[in-house]
Amino acid sequence: MEHLPPPAEELALLDRELAGLDLRRSQLLQRRAWLLGVLRTPGPSVTAPPGSAVPPPAPRPPVRLPAPPVRSGGAQNVLLTLGGLLLTVAAIAFTLVSWGHMGISGRTAVLTTLTLAALAAPAMLLRRGLTATAEALAALASVLMVLDAFALHEVAAPGTGVLGFAASASAVLSVLWAAYGLLLGRLRLPLPAAVLIAQLPLLFWAFAERADALVFSAALLTTAALDCAVAVWVKRVSVRVTACAALCVTGGAGLLVALLRSMTADAPSGALAPGALLLAGSAIALSGARRAPAAGAVGGGLVAGLAAVAAVASVVVAGVPGGWTVPVYLLCGGALLAGVRAPLGRPAGQGLVWASGVVTAGSVLFSVPPVAGSLVGPVSQLGRVWAGAPQDGARSALGAAGLPWTEMGAAPVILLVVAGAFAAGYRWWEGVLRWTGDVLSPGPSARGAVGAMAPVLGWAGLTVLPAALDVSYAAAVAVQLVLFAVVFAVAVGGLRRGTTGAALTASACGAVGAADVALLSLASEPATYAVFGALLVLFTAAAVALGTSATGSPGPGRAAAAVRTVAACAAVGCAVVLTGAFGASLGLPAHRAAPLLLAVPAVTVLLGARLKARAVALPVELTGGAAAVPAIGMAAGDLPFLALVLALCGVLAAGTALRAERRPVAGYLATALFLAASWVRLSASGVSSPEAYTLPVTVAALVIGVLRRRRDPAASSWTAYGAGLAATLVPALVAAWTDPHWLRPLLLGTAALVITLAGARWRLQALLVLGGAVLALDALHELAPYVVQVVGAMPRWVAPALAGAVLLAVGATYEKRLRDARRLRNALGRMR
């Protein structure tokens, strides 16, 4: 066991340790001060201070390091490089000055001599280790060899075609540079240069023969095959990189030319030759992908797959109508997935999968414009509500009659086929992974993404189907409504089972579909009642079904609760539309139909009391309360009806305030609505002295407030006196602002002053705030004419000067003003 000393002994030990630490710190500080003095005072050494524990070191003279020796090889490289540059300058000067005085034979002799010297010099330089100079002279030799080739054309074959000779010369130069690079293996330039010049012979030959596009494509693909062979078999990195870059350029250009010719073919026979070239390009890409690194192999498989799809589909497309071109490509892209079973290697197989995905994505993007037209088109019905059902078919009703449906008619088929493939993949996910082997290794969320895309694509395909078939308006509305019911049923079933991925996407599709069919139904009065009634029933059923899980246990998941809330609120919105439509069917003016809309908030108030503390209760009540806003707007043109609507809204708010959890907000809202209703009613009756009507209410309310405060001293002054005071002060203030006489503002100001002083005396916040606000506004009303006169008499520069002075004063005393504001806020906060 560990021995612990008594507290007194332990305290003595700690004091001794601290004293030792203080002594050591003092010694170190003395040494630091001495060192600072030495550094600041140049000259002889300084003696150490007394008591210093460490003697000062003796000063040493500065040591000058010798310069590093210059390597002889580096110096030789520099000298030889400068010499080579000087020789090059001399040769250029000789060429510019004396070239014109020499014949073609002399020029050829000079170029040949210079070329042979430039070719021979790198061998000697490499033996001496002068690699940089050898590379520079090899580059010069390559340029001179090109000039030699043109000189040879002028001397030996001046009558031959330039392009044909250039094709032969580039082939010979490529072979010579390759041999030279292999002979002098330490040079890095000749072999990549040989690869680059090898891209030209077949291309020059095609230009010389004035060949058609297919011959150009064949020449480019043949060159690409040579590049692929070089990239696969040559081990030098610079050569492989150059060959890969050349392969991408020549192979891509050759495939593009063949693709353009295949797409413009008029018959299957005309697409055979371009298709064969595309297949050849696909074979080249696959052969390179089998030996390439992982990233290159995936890219090669992607190119090979796209080329194969284009080759096969182009032949088939040439014999089918124009509107069915994309489905053919889609089917060929799907068939491409069979290639993952071939022994191509995992990266190349992944490239084929990517190629199939690219074709599928392109097909789906082709179908986006008709789907967008079908979804956005019903918005046009907002400008012709109940104008009658369109007689021209679904395309006219959807506002999509101008789209090229002949070319886009296959969009529903494309979307439904892709949706079916996604659904099958989701259903038999494990089997698909076993069939593909190690080619596919998706993450854990891949299956959910596939399952989520299936209902979206299926819904999109069925949405565009009525426009593609151009069915009647009634059939289009029926299809859209049934489609919404099916999609929402799928969403509800998935959420109740706990499968949130596909269920949430189906819910989103259902919401968009509901808005689409709702807008579409506005063209006809019967369709409006039928559609919104069905939507009301379906949304209500979905909200009820999502109240429990599939096992019957309460408390659905978070996603299900969110969808349930949205469905419940949407049901309330449908009820509002139906109520408004009923008023319009009765032929009522807007202000007379406004009270009908309040039936929906009344139902939601009762429903909220029934649902109580459930999460969906508050959104339903808020959505129902929002229906009162259009009702108030509809009644605004008639003051008596506006007062009635406001009073009814106040009754609903008061009924909501009977519940304890809604009382803090609903109580104040009911008070405000009742006050507003009374003021509007007084204004509608032409009352010019509202105090005669409001004062009795204020007195009664204040008496009730006093009794409330006696029974509950902790009650707020706003609860006890706020409503009663506002019942008289606010309408009296409005009347005072429009009263040209002085008596009413004087009486109002006096009453407001008394109320303010009473609030300050008894520390009642409601009296102080309401009385002070009314007093300030009343004083502003009375002083406004004089202020206007003073401002009009002052020069224009006075107002900005005063504003600037005020800002300066506030800025100079900002902290004090801030403290004052905080004290005022705290004082108001302490009041009841």
Side-chain angles (χ1 to χ4, degrees), residues 2-428:
E2 184 179 358
H3 173 67
L4 295 176
E9 185 179 351
E10 185 178 0
L11 180 60
L13 291 173
L14 291 177
D15 289 338
R16 284 196 294 271
E17 291 291 335
L18 290 174
L21 290 175
D22 290 339
L23 178 61
R24 180 59 180 165
R25 184 174 185 276
S26 176
Q27 292 176 352
L28 293 176
L29 289 175
Q30 290 180 5
R31 179 64 180 173
R32 180 177 181 276
W34 178 83
L35 290 173
L36 289 175
V38 170
L39 294 175
R40 294 171 182 169
T41 307
S45 61
V46 183
T47 59
S52 177
V54 183
R60 297 179 181 179
V63 179
R64 186 180 301 275
L65 296 177
V70 181
R71 292 187 305 167
S72 59
Q76 288 179 356
N77 281 335
V78 172
L79 294 176
L80 289 175
T81 303
L82 291 175
L85 290 176
L86 290 175
L87 287 176
T88 304
V89 172
I92 294 174
F94 169 78
T95 303
L96 293 177
V97 175
S98 303
W99 192 260
H101 302 288
M102 301 175 64
I104 187 63
S105 301
R107 300 174 187 176
T108 305
V110 170
L111 285 174
T112 303
T113 303
L114 291 175
T115 303
L116 292 175
L119 289 173
M124 297 181 292
L125 294 173
L126 288 175
R127 284 196 296 270
R128 294 177 175 270
L130 304 176
T131 307
T133 307
E135 292 285 355
L137 289 179
L140 177 62
S142 64
V143 176
L144 292 175
M145 289 177 72
V146 176
L147 296 177
D148 287 336
F150 282 102
L152 182 62
H153 175 264
E154 294 296 330
V155 173
T160 59
V162 177
L163 291 175
F165 185 83
S168 302
S170 58
V172 174
L173 287 176
S174 177
V175 174
L176 292 177
W177 286 353
Y180 186 70
L182 293 175
L183 183 62
L184 301 178
R186 294 171 61 186
L187 290 178
R188 293 175 294 179
L189 180 64
L191 289 178
V195 174
L196 289 178
I197 199 68
Q199 313 302 312
L200 302 177
L202 293 179
L203 193 61
F204 280 159
W205 172 79
F207 273 111
E209 297 297 328
R210 296 181 180 179
D212 62 355
L214 291 179
V215 177
F216 270 100
S217 177
L220 289 169
L221 291 176
T222 303
T223 306
L226 296 176
D227 294 331
C228 182
V230 172
V232 169
W233 295 106
V234 177
K235 296 183 178 180
R236 183 172 292 189
V237 177
S238 60
V239 178
R240 297 183 71 174
V241 170
T242 306
C244 288
L247 170 63
C248 294
V249 175
T250 55
L255 290 175
L256 182 60
V257 173
L259 178 63
L260 292 177
R261 285 299 301 268
S262 67
M263 294 177 66
T264 57
D266 298 330
S269 58
L272 287 176
L277 291 175
L278 290 170
L279 286 177
S282 176
I284 294 171
L286 276 181
S287 63
R290 295 189 62 180
R291 294 180 176 269
V298 173
L302 172 62
V303 174
L306 293 177
V309 169
V312 177
S314 60
V315 178
V316 180
V317 162
V320 300
W324 294 91
T325 300
V326 178
V328 173
Y329 279 92
L330 176 62
L331 293 178
C332 293
L336 186 64
L337 292 176
V340 300
R341 301 286 294 179
L344 302 175
R346 185 171 182 268
Q350 289 178 341
L352 293 181
V353 174
W354 276 104
S356 178
V358 168
V359 175
T360 304
S363 303
V364 172
L365 289 177
F366 167 81
S367 306
V368 168
V371 175
S374 299
L375 293 178
V376 179
V379 178
S380 61
Q381 300 299 331
L382 291 174
R384 50 186 306 272
V385 177
W386 290 5
Q391 303 298 322
D392 299 334
R395 295 176 186 174
S396 177
L398 294 171
L403 294 178
W405 288 102
T406 303
E407 290 77 15
M408 297 189 305
V413 177
I414 295 171
L415 294 171
L416 292 176
V417 168
V418 177
F422 276 44
Y426 178 78
R427 174 64 179 82
W428 293 287

Side-chain angles (χ1 to χ4, degrees), residues 571-785:
V572 175
C574 293
V576 173
V577 174
L578 287 173
T579 306
F582 179 70
S585 298
L586 294 178
L588 298 176
H591 64 276
R592 291 184 177 273
L596 294 177
L597 290 181
L598 298 182
V600 177
V603 174
T604 57
V605 168
L606 299 176
L607 189 60
R610 178 69 176 84
L611 296 173
K612 294 183 180 179
R614 296 188 182 182
V616 74
L618 181 60
V620 167
E621 292 181 70
L622 292 177
T623 307
V629 176
I632 294 173
M634 294 169 61
D638 188 275
L639 291 182
F641 268 90
L642 178 59
L644 174 62
V645 170
L646 290 172
L648 292 176
C649 292
V651 171
L652 295 176
T656 305
L658 294 176
R659 296 157 52 196
E661 69 274 11
R662 302 284 187 260
R663 187 171 301 151
V665 176
Y668 288 114
L669 180 61
T671 302
L673 289 171
F674 280 132
L675 290 175
S678 62
W679 299 336
V680 172
R681 181 67 258 182
L682 292 176
S683 177
S685 301
V687 175
S688 58
S689 299
E691 296 85 356
Y693 299 90
T694 59
L695 276 175
V697 177
T698 296
V699 172
L702 292 178
V703 171
I704 296 174
V706 171
L707 296 177
R708 169 72 184 276
R709 291 271 295 176
R710 287 182 179 177
R711 187 179 58 186
D712 183 13
S716 171
S717 61
W718 289 99
T719 304
Y721 310 120
L725 290 175
T728 296
L729 290 178
V730 175
L733 180 62
V734 174
W737 270 64
T738 59
D739 193 343
H741 305 289
W742 59 271
L743 182 58
R744 186 193 302 272
L746 177 61
L747 295 177
L748 178 61
T750 304
L753 178 61
V754 172
I755 293 172
T756 304
L757 295 176
R761 171 65 181 82
W762 288 298
R763 305 182 62 81
L764 297 175
Q765 189 181 100
L767 276 66
L768 182 62
V769 172
L770 285 176
V774 172
L775 180 61
L777 292 175
D778 187 63
L780 177 63
H781 172 263
E782 294 302 308
L783 295 176

